Amino acid sequence: MFDGLTMKDNQDKLSGKSAADVKDSRRDRLKLALRENLKRRKSQARGRSDGGASSENADASLDDGSGEKS
């Protein structure tokens, strides 16, 4: 009943992919994820540099001026 293959081995045989194909696929996915992450970080940095003053004003407006700590 058990032929000594693990589930992963079975899946690899069924899909017909070699180890090199699997590595290439993984590398491509990683490359794409890193590229998307870089785009997101650049966009966030641009947003911070453009809207930096407005966030400081927003923090100041939260202070009611009573001098009491919450």
Side-chain angles (χ1 to χ4, degrees):
M1 188 163 155
F2 180 70
D3 59 0
L5 295 176
T6 63
M7 183 183 276
K8 184 171 179 0
D9 293 335
N10 232 359
Q11 288 174 346
D12 287 345
K13 280 190 172 188
L14 292 175
S15 66
K17 290 185 179 181
S18 69
D21 290 341
V22 172
K23 282 186 178 182
D24 287 343
S25 173
R26 183 177 184 274
R27 185 179 298 129
D28 290 342
R29 282 183 316 208
L30 179 60
K31 191 181 203 181
L32 181 62
L34 288 172
R35 187 179 301 128
E36 292 300 320
N37 188 16
L38 180 62
K39 285 180 186 177
R40 181 178 47 82
R41 286 177 23 216
K42 282 185 174 181
S43 176
Q44 287 175 344
R46 272 188 244 114
R48 272 189 243 119
S49 68
D50 292 344
S54 64
S55 66
E56 289 174 7
N57 291 339
D59 289 341
S61 66
L62 295 176
D63 185 10
D64 64 337
S66 65
E68 296 178 13
K69 291 188 178 189
S70 308

